[in-house]
Amino acid sequence: MGSYYDIDDILSEEEPVTVIFRKPANGVGIDPSAEKNCVEQGSKVELPLWIAHELCQRDAVSVNVPACFDEKTRLEIQADPANVDLRSRSPYFYELGCKMAPITGDRTLCYFLFFAFRSRYKEVLTKAHTAAHVATPKVLSRLTNEEIDLYEAAQSSVAAFKKWRVGGSRFQPSSALGRKRRSTD
Amino acid sequence: MYGRKACQLVKETATGEKGQIKPFNDDMFNQVIQECCSHHLELQSLFRNMQEEGLDIQTTRNADFYGALIHHLSLTRNKRCLMAYMYNRAEVIRSLRWKLGRVLPEEISKKLSSSEKEYLKGYSASLDAYMNDINLDLTVDMVPPKDPYIQVRVLDDIGEVVLTDCSANLARYSMHFLKRTDAEPYISQGLMEELVS
């Protein structure tokens, strides 16, 4: 759970999910197919996660698992985790998944997320350590925001390591220390 | 969709480069506040409906209640977005005070709203008071210096200045070997640049 002011947490909660209303609601303009300003019982509406989450906790809606966690994605991840474009599915793929798991009651989702992250983690680090700077944009376009942070962290640590190995710029002795000390006696 | 504008506002801070500030989006900010006002009105009218029907707001779970709930959630969501927008900007403003000093350059200060300028002034004042108390300038040497003296080139006519160990004529394009602590304020104002050998 991110902090109240966390921008990434706020943006991840804006991801749309499809919900089915179990209770009707009056005076709200969130269902584009409705004629009046209300939502009928049983109507299917796409809502951002922050509304869906709260309504689900109060049993007003039931939440469907979003399309980005569908069977096709799962098969692709199982086949070749590193080359699946998760960013186009959702830049907040893991955050969304972690928030969806408790409210959809889909137990396989957690294992799937864990598997996907673990297998991609190694690839992300390997690429960050070896890739020349020119090749980065193509790789980054497939990663989620969290993986991009990881990638950048890995690259900066490699850069720091290289600098350390070649000696880099070390502390220089102050010029005052280099002078010969005059005997004062 | 509810809360979309507030989210765009937050997204704006996320897309910018780290440590830099964008112009305060007054227009969008006010639109979100207006959206909040209309949520509030809707919320009240739904509550009024329930009261007119003689229902208890605390326990009833009818269509009016869920409508009101959605408006209430939207209100708190909008509030969170606005707060996050202000909070993250304030964080950048504080870091600018450390990096650029008491007075911000014109092109940055015009990006701040009037309340943010007030905030910067207050923050600056309390930081100054603290530094006076402990008698130490905390804003210099954010990175430990390798050498107390540095080679600098003057970029603008500054004129005759008395420094801690000597006085120097800082004419345009002249080069000097100065104490780092003397040169640092000029460098942060963009009047000098450090020559890196």
Side-chain angles (χ1 to χ4, degrees), chain A residues 43-79:
Chain A
S43 49
K44 205 173 177 183
V45 188
E46 196 164 80
L47 293 179
L49 180 62
W50 56 269
I51 297 189
H53 185 252
E54 294 286 331
L55 289 180
C56 185
Q57 283 182 337
R58 290 170 175 80
D59 272 337
V61 299
S62 56
V63 181
N64 291 352
V65 179
C68 56
F69 305 111
D70 61 2
E71 202 54 37
K72 189 165 159 268
T73 312
R74 293 186 193 210
L75 288 176
E76 274 180 43
I77 289 273
Q78 275 164 20

Side-chain angles (χ1 to χ4, degrees), chain B residues 61-77:
Chain B
R61 298 284 177 269
N62 63 359
D64 283 340
F65 170 80
Y66 286 109
L69 177 64
I70 289 170
H71 283 297
H72 170 72
L73 291 174
S74 309
L75 267 171
T76 50
R77 168 76 179 181

Side-chain angles (χ1 to χ4, degrees), chain A:
Chain A
M1 191 67 199
S3 91
Y4 184 75
Y5 300 110
D6 186 8
I7 286 185
D8 282 322
D9 195 53
I10 292 177
L11 292 181
S12 72
E13 286 185 3
E14 190 69 18
E15 294 289 308
V17 291
T18 314
V19 302
I20 295 166
F21 269 78
R22 286 189 195 160
K23 309 269 168 58
N26 271 350
V28 284
I30 49 176
D31 185 2
S33 61
E35 286 166 17
K36 284 184 290 181
N37 255 359
C38 62
V39 187
E40 299 288 326
Q41 190 169 354
S43 49
K44 205 173 177 183
V45 188
E46 196 164 80
L47 293 179
L49 180 62
W50 56 269
I51 297 189
H53 185 252
E54 294 286 331
L55 289 180
C56 185
Q57 283 182 337
R58 290 170 175 80
D59 272 337
V61 299
S62 56
V63 181
N64 291 352
V65 179
C68 56
F69 305 111
D70 61 2
E71 202 54 37
K72 189 165 159 268
T73 312
R74 293 186 193 210
L75 288 176
E76 274 180 43
I77 289 273
Q78 275 164 20
D80 187 4
N83 285 319
V84 182
D85 181 359
L86 287 188
R87 192 175 185 77
S88 69
R89 288 176 167 91
S90 162
Y92 296 100
F93 189 81
Y94 299 112
E95 290 90 335
L96 182 64
C98 288
K99 282 173 182 159
M100 290 308 297
I103 54 174
T104 51
D106 184 346
R107 292 184 165 212
T108 57
L109 189 55
C110 287
Y111 296 114
F112 162 66
L113 286 175
F114 183 54
F115 174 78
F117 187 76
R118 198 177 49 185
S119 32
R120 285 165 68 90
Y121 179 78
K122 202 175 121 197
E123 285 294 323
V124 168
L125 286 197
T126 316
K127 283 205 177 100
H129 285 173
T130 53
H133 284 273
V134 206
T136 49
K138 203 182 148 207
V139 183
L140 289 183
S141 66
R142 284 201 300 263
L143 302 183
T144 71
N145 283 359
E146 189 168 357
E147 288 167 341
I148 288 179
D149 285 345
L150 201 62
Y151 186 91
E152 282 166 358
Q155 269 201 331
S156 73
S157 80
V158 166
F161 175 70
K162 278 185 183 152
K163 196 177 162 195
W164 173 79
R165 245 182 49 172
V166 298
S169 54
R170 297 255 167 97
F171 282 100
Q172 293 166 354
S174 137
S175 52
L177 293 176
R179 267 185 238 139
K180 273 184 193 157
R181 243 172 248 171
R182 219 183 291 152
S183 53
T184 47
D185 50 4

Side-chain angles (χ1 to χ4, degrees), chain B residues 104-118:
Chain B
L104 293 185
E106 176 66 24
E107 66 267 22
I108 293 181
S109 82
K110 75 180 171 203
K111 289 180 184 171
L112 305 185
S113 72
S114 57
S115 64
E116 283 171 335
K117 281 179 193 153
E118 207 58 40

